[in-house]
Amino acid sequence: MHAQEPFLILSAAEVFAHEDEWKIFPEMERIASCAFLALEKAWQLEAATLVDLKVEFGFDSKGRLLLADVIDNDSWRVIENGSYIDKQVYRDGGTLDDVAAKYRRVADITSRFRLPRQRIILWRGSEKDKSEAFSEALGELADLMTVVTCSVHKEPVTAAGILQRMTQEVPDSVVIAYIGRSNGAGPTLSAMSTLPVITVPASVKEFPDDVWSSLRAPSSVPVMTVLEPANAVLAALQILSARNPRLYAHVRGEIENRTVNTIRIS
């Protein structure tokens, strides 16, 4: 209550292990948020809603901050079909049989949590089409990208074979076509593939009219056109994040960083 007197006041020395321990709070916040978002998507994929969770942190032998906790049915609240399936049932006085059934249900669901195998295929026409801007945009997610160099115009049969093989290898992929000349390569890849294709006209700054090769696509050619490499990468991540908790945490975390405004009072 507002007027209630505190029954216990702890000094800073009793709360913190060392004087400047508060400096790690932003990193703790970042790690905890990332963990929550990844688990939130994992539960979404199982048609349930993660409401909240609690975690603990610690340091390893090298002094590195780690989320050091077991995230189980005692540590979160999850709703499925409008009902809690976590420890909240026990708190609300549910029978032990009901509680045990909820725990078995959660154990069964979480056993299916996994990261899908996915890939971003950066397709370029020649070595002159540099890929650095896409790698930089991916940052720590650069391991997702595979670069293919093949002229769809000069070697259409070879290109079709490469695309078919890569689709079989990792069906859950997105193609980014970055072609320096004759930007019809992106639409061509889109027309002969089940994968989403995003085309980035590499020569649009020097030759603005080139963009029409990608924008004025015929029927049954659902190619998407994005002018900036970073936005093309983000679009690919958004597509893949619908099925990937790791990517969802990354994309959603970036959205929250730039759209949620808070005032910290120290």
Side-chain angles (χ1 to χ4, degrees):
M1 300 295 292
H2 176 68
Q4 184 177 2
E5 292 294 326
F7 67 89
L8 178 65
I9 298 177
L10 298 175
S11 65
E14 293 175 289
V15 176
F16 302 115
H18 48 83
E19 185 177 355
D20 58 352
E21 189 172 356
W22 59 271
K23 293 182 180 179
I24 66 174
F25 286 1
E27 181 64 5
M28 291 173 64
E29 181 181 7
R30 185 193 68 80
I31 296 173
S33 176
C34 185
F36 178 87
L37 291 173
L39 289 167
E40 179 182 53
K41 172 53 69 173
W43 277 109
Q44 285 178 3
L45 294 172
E46 297 293 336
T49 302
L50 177 65
V51 178
D52 58 29
L53 58 76
K54 60 180 180 68
V55 293
E56 295 183 4
F57 287 85
F59 295 96
D60 65 9
S61 59
K62 296 182 179 179
R64 293 174 298 191
L65 179 67
L66 300 175
L67 193 159
D69 204 349
V70 176
I71 302 176
D72 57 17
N73 220 29
D74 292 339
S75 304
W76 56 28
R77 287 189 296 172
V78 177
I79 295 176
E80 182 184 47
N81 296 324
S83 301
Y84 286 107
I85 56 174
D86 53 77
K87 193 177 181 179
Q88 190 63 36
V89 178
Y90 175 78
R91 299 187 185 100
D92 293 340
T95 66
L96 292 181
D97 286 344
D98 188 24
V99 173
K102 302 290 187 186
Y103 273 57
R104 285 193 294 269
R105 173 65 178 155
V106 168
D108 177 59
I109 294 174
T110 54
S111 69
R112 300 194 292 270
F113 283 4
R114 58 180 47 85
L115 296 179
R117 189 183 179 201
Q118 294 178 313
R119 179 160 59 188
I120 294 175
I121 302 170
L122 179 64
W123 197 293
R124 58 185 187 173
S126 73
E127 299 286 345
K128 296 179 181 179
D129 301 320
K130 303 302 180 182
S131 61
E132 286 78 4
F134 299 91
S135 299
E136 291 175 5
L138 280 168
E140 63 183 18
L141 301 174
D143 60 305
L144 277 172
M145 189 173 73
T146 298
V147 179
V148 174
T149 305
C150 178
S151 174
V152 180
H153 307 94
K154 299 175 183 177
E155 303 175 276
V157 176
T158 300
I162 293 173
L163 184 59
Q164 177 66 17
R165 174 178 57 80
M166 298 189 77
T167 302
Q168 291 294 326
E169 290 175 352
V170 186
D172 195 356
S173 297
V174 175
V175 178
I176 298 178
Y178 187 59
I179 312 298
R181 290 187 180 183
S182 185
N183 297 293
T188 301
L189 291 170
S190 177
M192 61 184 182
S193 174
T194 58
L195 302 180
V197 176
I198 303 167
T199 187
V200 181
S203 57
V204 69
K205 291 183 179 180
E206 294 82 9
F207 306 101
D209 287 345
D210 283 3
V211 73
W212 295 111
S213 298
S214 301
L215 289 177
R216 290 175 57 85
S219 61
S220 301
V221 183
V223 68
M224 295 165 278
T225 302
V226 179
L227 298 184
E228 293 296 329
N231 274 340
V233 166
L234 180 55
L237 291 177
Q238 287 179 329
I239 292 169
L240 297 175
S241 70
R243 299 168 297 282
N244 189 321
R246 176 197 180 198
L247 300 187
Y248 172 84
H250 176 85
V251 173
R252 181 64 192 176
E254 290 295 318
I255 291 173
E256 293 186 359
N257 287 339
R258 67 175 182 265
T259 59
V260 177
N261 299 311
T262 60
I263 299 176
R264 297 184 182 276
I265 301 176
S266 58

